[in-house]
Amino acid sequence: SFELTQPPSVSVSPGQTARISCSGERLAVQFVYWYQQKAGQAPEVVIYKDDKRPPGILERFSGSSSGTKATLTISAVQAEDEADYYCQSSDSSGTWVFGGGTKLTVL
Amino acid sequence: QGQLVQSGADVKKPGASVKVSCKASGYTFVSDDINWVRQAPGQGLEWMGWMNPNNGNTGYAQNFRGRITLTRDLSINTAYMELSSLTSQDTAVYYCAKSGEQGFDIWGQGTLVTVSS
């Protein structure tokens, strides 16, 4: 198995840019996916295959990945973006792993 | 778009087993894997395993091997997750999620399983 490491928390003021990192050796060879989970709800994918946005996800959400580190960037953060964010990746055997999650607080 | 609807909350005693169902609609059930993910109270997401509904093949996370069984019933487009030898550490919300090109793109609403004597 492998691990993905995220900061436990990130805080930003409304209108600023939030960046959430995810580190892991497998990210050098596997895609990363990002999920948003609001309180009491199921997670929702916001970025897939490193940098692609599913239909309906706002352009303020973007992703990048280089080497063993991936970043989820949320531009012009709004109160509604306050949530837990999880990165996810897989290994060649089909095993999936989630990062520990990052709580985004909008000040 | 598709939808996954899970069975309701359940309470089990330590040592018992639980079986959670996940009914698919709005897409071709056999086209994509069904995964199971759990979330203990106040904790993060933990992937448990996957199943290919087309052929029944499965893969399990190391932490659950020997205790988890994933099955399906094609006649009613439903996937099942059974977890045995429950302890209080298994108290969590259990989710099923379809994995496709866009990652885990459809999630069930979650099923709370409480293990208590």
Side-chain angles (χ1 to χ4, degrees):
Chain A
S1 176
F2 62 97
E3 292 185 355
L4 297 174
T5 301
Q6 299 181 234
S9 63
V10 168
S11 300
V12 295
S13 299
Q16 290 189 328
T17 296
R19 294 180 179 85
I20 298 172
S21 64
C22 175
S23 300
E25 288 188 0
R26 296 299 301 180
L27 298 186
V29 294
Q30 297 287 347
F31 289 123
V32 67
Y33 301 76
W34 290 94
Y35 298 84
Q36 176 193 66
Q37 186 181 33
K38 296 184 176 179
Q41 298 182 18
E44 178 185 17
V45 58
V46 293
I47 294 291
Y48 69 98
K49 291 187 176 180
D50 293 347
D51 57 7
K52 296 174 178 50
R53 258 189 324 273
I57 299 301
L58 299 174
E59 290 185 11
R60 300 189 292 105
F61 289 85
S62 62
S64 63
S65 186
S66 177
T68 60
K69 181 178 178 181
T71 303
L72 172 69
T73 301
I74 309 171
S75 305
V77 166
Q78 302 180 6
E80 67 193 45
D81 299 329
E82 189 160 284
D84 294 324
Y85 291 85
Y86 295 90
C87 61
Q88 179 202 40
S89 191
S90 66
D91 67 16
S92 55
S93 69
T95 296
W96 291 94
V97 169
F98 288 96
T102 298
K103 181 177 180 61
L104 175 65
T105 300
V106 181
L107 300 171
Chain B
Q1 295 287 14
Q3 186 179 15
L4 296 173
V5 177
Q6 300 181 220
S7 48
D10 207 344
V11 180
K12 295 295 183 183
K13 293 193 181 302
S17 297
V18 67
K19 192 170 186 177
V20 180
S21 68
C22 171
K23 183 174 177 59
S25 63
Y27 75 96
T28 303
F29 180 55
V30 296
S31 65
D32 291 311
D33 293 349
I34 293 288
N35 294 262
W36 290 85
V37 178
R38 77 176 184 180
Q39 187 170 38
Q43 302 301 309
L45 303 174
E46 182 178 21
W47 179 78
M48 302 176 70
W50 62 268
M51 181 195 63
N52 180 325
N54 188 43
N55 57 22
N57 287 350
T58 57
Y60 302 129
Q62 183 79 28
N63 287 349
F64 298 98
R65 285 177 195 164
R67 286 207 301 141
I68 186 174
T69 305
L70 301 183
T71 57
R72 88 287 195 214
D73 185 337
L74 296 179
S75 69
I76 54 173
N77 288 351
T78 298
Y80 300 93
M81 185 282 299
E82 184 168 19
L83 190 64
S84 62
S85 303
L86 294 171
T87 72
S88 60
Q89 302 301 310
D90 295 313
T91 294
V93 175
Y94 290 78
Y95 294 100
C96 60
K98 178 180 87 65
S99 55
E101 273 294 302
Q102 299 179 4
F104 289 18
D105 53 4
I106 300 174
W107 292 69
Q109 82 276 19
T111 297
L112 175 62
V113 175
T114 303
V115 183
S116 174
S117 56

